[in-house]
Amino acid sequence: MSDKAEAADAGKAPAKSKKMLIIIIAAVVVLAIGGGAAFFFISKQRAAAEEGVDGAEPAPPPKAAHAAPKPGTPPTYLPLDNMVVNLADPGGERVAQVGITLELSDAHAVDTVKAYLPTIRSGVLLLVSQRTAAELLTPEGKEKLAKDILREAEVPFGGGHDDEEEASSSKKPKSKRRVVHVEYPVVGVLFSSFIVQ
């Protein structure tokens, strides 16, 4: 009887080793596929980065793609406290009271922008104080101020570059440059009040 028990144990041993072999092969295949996918992803990123480098000329700063909030989601707004600013008129007696609301890319950007509000408010105050009452009383003047405030609100996040300044500062002929579009948290500027006295 002991010969039969040994024969039964010998029959189970190859079945266990076959199962173990299948598990090991499956694990190796999964690791190979994962490694291949990682290699493909990394090499694609590296190729994209090298494609943007011209060799002799650095890439231009990223340009903002002022994307509206995603469709289907309500817009996110961050109102600023009203500001009273002396204007650049002769005599310094004219003032503007401006209420500004920032339109943000999404609800997650609120905390990020709040962290930089003192910097943004200071920049806005400086912008408004450089204007005259005549400039601010025209619709074009208000639109230009809104664009300048938007650019000023991008500065803490690495933006605020003017396309015209970039074009005039680069006197070299344009070669292949890759433009990187960056979405900043502030995507719009709205006036909630605007009084010039």
Side-chain angles (χ1 to χ4, degrees), residues 126-192:
L126 290 173
L127 283 173
V128 176
S129 70
Q130 295 171 1
R131 303 297 203 278
T132 63
E135 290 174 327
L136 295 179
L137 290 173
T138 65
E140 295 82 16
K142 289 181 179 91
E143 287 176 16
K144 182 171 180 353
L145 179 62
K147 287 179 185 175
D148 291 345
I149 291 171
L150 179 59
R151 191 170 37 250
E152 187 66 31
E154 294 170 350
V155 169
F157 308 103
H161 304 287
D162 191 7
D163 296 339
E164 295 166 7
E165 290 175 9
E166 290 174 12
S168 65
S169 66
S170 69
K171 295 181 181 176
K172 296 179 182 178
K174 290 187 178 183
S175 60
K176 291 183 185 177
R177 289 189 192 183
R178 193 171 128 198
V179 177
V180 179
H181 293 285
V182 177
E183 290 187 22
Y184 299 109
V186 180
V187 297
V189 173
L190 307 166
F191 293 116
S192 55

Side-chain angles (χ1 to χ4, degrees), residues 26-88:
V28 169
V29 169
V30 168
L31 288 175
I33 291 173
F39 175 76
F40 176 76
F41 180 72
I42 292 170
S43 64
K44 192 152 182 104
Q45 280 186 330
R46 190 174 289 156
E50 289 173 0
E51 185 179 297
V53 177
D54 192 22
E57 195 172 331
K63 295 186 181 187
H66 299 295
K70 295 173 184 136
T73 60
T76 303
Y77 298 107
L78 179 63
L80 304 181
D81 294 333
N82 284 353
M83 300 177 212
V84 178
V85 184
N86 289 331
L87 297 176

